[in-house]
Amino acid sequence: MSNNYQPPKVWTWDTENGGEWASVNRPIAGATHDKVLPRGRHPLQLYSLATPNGQKVTILLEELLAAGESGAEYDAHLIRIGNGDQFSSGFVEVNPNSKIPALLDTETGSRVFESGAILLYLAEKFGRFLPKDPAARTEALNWLFWLQGSAPYLGGGFGHFYAYAPEKFEYPIDRFTMEAKRQMDVLDRRLAESRFLGGEDYSIADIATWPWYGNLVLGNLYDAGEFLDVQSYANLRRWSDEITARPAVARGRKVNRTSGPLEEQLHERHDASDFELRTQDQLEIAS
């Protein structure tokens, strides 16, 4: 493998780096334009897109509502990251890191950013999907933070070089494939001894992990199922199938989705009836 690139002594930002997300990648923070974020009528205002990180939060919100927590009603506003919506002044006020998802709790005035922090905030606010027993809580949090540390290697590492980079290079694909398979093996071994990641109870650890590794083992992420031999992870597949079958998961994964079958896309969610009336297939029929 030949590669003649030599890093300069001091890196400068003078060209786009290429790839699918080149137009929104930049080495500086802050807003690029002024725009006030919309507000809905519910206490919880979510600004997101149905990436794996975005799905974590909408799935938890739908699970909370299914569990009878009416205070978890929410407005989900679409942030089109390919268009740079995350760099608006309003979004940067809620999340200075300019990444989805971001949550504003209008009851407390709290802004919450980073998907793991949002899951923990909501689980504690409503007393759901996080064990109260200290040992069980610690185990669930072990896996929640495992996911937060591991998923960037799957998405920014394997996913980027396998699916999105402008050219294919053997070294980074091999490097991150090895890590992605190691991570799936970690999960598969854990799920051989436990129904869910934290133990016998479904928790925010599972809700955080399923959009990444559940979708991956189902072959729905990066079109890489055959390449990664996902069928060989039997325990991970069993866990993924069980979570996929949950009605709240089916709803949550639709929210803020802008790709795939039209009936699976609910660009914005402001009421439970939107799942019946405002998916893209229904809007096209109406128009």
Side-chain angles (χ1 to χ4, degrees), residues 49-221:
L49 182 70
T51 66
N53 285 334
Q55 287 179 29
K56 297 174 189 177
V57 179
T58 50
I59 287 171
L60 176 56
L61 287 166
E62 291 298 326
E63 291 281 14
L64 287 166
L65 290 169
E69 297 291 346
S70 59
E73 274 292 352
Y74 67 104
D75 293 280
H77 307 278
L78 180 62
I79 299 296
R80 295 184 183 271
I81 60 177
N83 296 345
D85 292 352
Q86 69 275 32
F87 300 119
S88 74
S89 57
F91 191 90
V92 170
E93 286 180 9
V94 181
N95 184 359
N97 195 39
S98 292
K99 301 289 185 182
I100 62 93
L103 180 74
L104 180 64
D105 186 341
T106 61
E107 284 187 335
T108 64
S110 297
R111 69 177 188 183
V112 196
F113 59 90
E114 291 298 317
S115 57
I118 297 173
L119 294 187
L120 185 56
Y121 178 85
L122 292 172
E124 292 184 331
K125 179 181 177 76
F126 294 102
R128 300 270 191 175
F129 302 108
L130 185 62
K132 294 179 174 58
D133 172 74
R137 174 187 169 89
T138 297
E139 186 65 13
L141 291 178
N142 285 341
W143 290 102
L144 173 65
F145 286 100
W146 176 90
L147 179 281
Q148 294 299 115
S150 297
Y153 289 96
L154 174 57
F158 174 78
H160 174 76
F161 286 106
Y162 182 79
Y164 300 134
E167 297 179 66
K168 305 294 186 189
F169 291 100
E170 181 180 3
Y171 173 76
I173 290 176
D174 279 354
R175 168 68 181 85
F176 289 111
T177 297
M178 183 184 304
E179 177 61 11
K181 289 182 71 66
R182 188 193 70 82
Q183 291 173 357
M184 284 192 288
D185 193 43
V186 170
L187 292 170
D188 196 65
R189 290 170 185 263
R190 169 58 178 166
L191 293 166
E193 62 187 20
S194 178
R195 180 181 177 188
F196 295 110
L197 290 173
E200 292 305 301
D201 295 324
Y202 177 64
S203 75
I204 55 174
D206 304 288
I207 292 170
T209 305
W210 180 88
W212 283 105
Y213 297 90
N215 274 318
L216 184 67
V217 82
L218 291 174
N220 296 333
L221 205 58

Side-chain angles (χ1 to χ4, degrees), residues 6-23:
Q6 292 294 323
K9 289 185 177 180
V10 178
W11 183 86
T12 57
W13 183 36
D14 52 14
T15 60
E16 290 186 347
N17 65 354
E20 184 168 337
W21 302 105
S23 63

